[in-house]
Structures are given as structure tokens and as C-alpha cells.
Amino acid sequence: MRKALSILVVSVITFGCGTKNKEEASPFNNDFEVMGNWSTKDQLTGEASHSGVYSTYTDSTLVFSQTMVTSCKQLKNKNPKSITATVWAMSKMQNPKGKLVLSIDKNDKSVIWQGSDIQTTVKVPNKWELVQLKIDLKEPLTDDMVIKLYGLNEGKTKVYWDDFSLTFE
């Protein structure tokens, strides 16, 4: 009995303390279940989602999705060689026009802006597809820089966006 109790205590400590609380939103990987580092736009919908219940969307009148905003002050590594951004995107129409956009701003001015077309990835209606964007950095990031990640709609078709992620390498 004592041995079984010891095994149970060790298991609870090992597995219980080793898992991350789902409600703790990482500044580098975020969905819309926990509103962590997002712009204050009210563009959430429960109509479609890749994970969880909510996603953001763009359409002919709302051309920018919710924006994931991360201050470079939060980064441990200020000198990554590259940043990879990903998002899951879906449209009810074939080949929607839009971009996954990564921008790095300093003093409210964009120093890096790059977009990846979703039209080449999101080809099948009602199917979530992973859109990726990678930028190589030539200079270190500084504390006064802000990284922004968002969806940009360049057409009239409604596009859903979910599970934005940044990876620093």
C-alpha cells in the first residue's frame, strides 16, 4: 500500500507539475481561446476554427485580421538568425487572395515587412491549410522593436485565420 501511494505521489508530481496550464498564453504561439497578445479588434467568430472554438476572419470590409503583437523585450534571444511565422487559414471559396504578414516595427515605423500569399496554399474550399513565412534577419532585434503577425485580405472572399505562431531560430 505504501509503495502504491509513493508511486501515485511521484506520478502526480511528475505529470501534474510538468504540464503547462492551457490558459497561459505564450507570446509566440497563440490561438483565440486565450486573448493574450492580440490587437483589440473585435473580429472573433465561432463560425469556423482550426482548434478550439474561435478564430479571426477577414473579408471585403475587414481587410486585417486580429494582430498578434509581441514586444522584443519579451525575447530571451535577441539575435535569432530567422523568424518563421505560421497560421492555419481557410475559406469557403477556392483560392482566396490574401497574405500572412510579418512585420517588425521600430518607433511605429516598419523596418521589415514580408507577406506570404495564401492563394498558393489555400486551394480547397472549407479545408484548413498551414501557411508559412520565413524571414532571415541580418541584424539583432532590439528592445524597442515590436513584431506583428496578421492576416491580410486582398480580395472579397471571407478568410478564417487561426493558431498563429512565431518560431525564432
Side-chain angles (χ1 to χ4, degrees):
M1 177 74 168
R2 186 174 239 165
K3 187 175 183 179
L5 185 58
S6 296
I7 291 171
L8 178 63
V9 168
V10 169
S11 296
V12 167
I13 290 171
T14 301
F15 297 110
C17 295
T19 60
K20 188 174 181 180
N21 183 347
K22 184 169 174 94
E23 294 195 18
E24 292 177 13
S26 165
F28 313 120
N29 186 4
N30 210 330
D31 56 18
F32 294 99
E33 310 316 307
V34 177
M35 291 306 291
N37 298 18
W38 295 103
S39 59
T40 57
K41 290 185 195 175
D42 187 23
Q43 270 176 258
L44 295 183
T45 181
E47 293 174 14
S49 67
H50 177 257
S51 69
V53 178
Y54 301 105
S55 66
T56 187
Y57 66 93
T58 56
D59 58 23
S60 61
T61 59
L62 298 167
V63 296
F64 300 102
S65 73
Q66 290 269 40
T67 301
M68 185 172 149
V69 181
T70 301
S71 169
C72 288
K73 285 181 187 177
Q74 298 174 329
L75 299 178
K76 291 179 183 172
N77 177 10
K78 304 282 193 233
N79 196 18
K81 303 286 185 240
S82 64
I83 302 174
T84 301
T86 62
V87 69
W88 287 88
M90 188 268 288
S91 177
K92 295 183 179 184
M93 302 298 285
Q94 187 174 351
N95 300 324
K97 294 179 182 176
K99 286 182 174 28
L100 169 62
V101 176
L102 173 67
S103 78
I104 301 176
D105 297 355
K106 184 174 183 173
N107 300 322
D108 295 323
K109 293 184 181 171
S110 182
V111 292
I112 295 175
W113 188 101
Q114 190 168 333
S116 176
D117 289 324
I118 65 169
Q119 191 172 12
T120 58
T121 307
V122 183
K123 296 178 180 180
V124 179
N126 298 312
K127 183 178 179 195
W128 288 94
E129 297 288 354
L130 185 64
V131 180
Q132 297 185 36
L133 165 67
K134 183 175 181 177
I135 62 168
D136 293 321
L137 299 172
K138 294 175 178 43
E139 297 179 19
L141 300 170
T142 58
D143 284 348
D144 57 349
M145 291 179 169
V146 176
I147 300 169
K148 296 179 181 178
L149 183 61
Y150 57 92
L152 171 64
N153 194 324
E154 298 176 311
K156 297 182 189 300
T157 303
K158 190 171 195 175
V159 178
Y160 298 93
W161 311 83
D162 202 3
D163 302 325
F164 287 81
S165 177
L166 291 171
T167 304
F168 300 85
E169 300 169 46

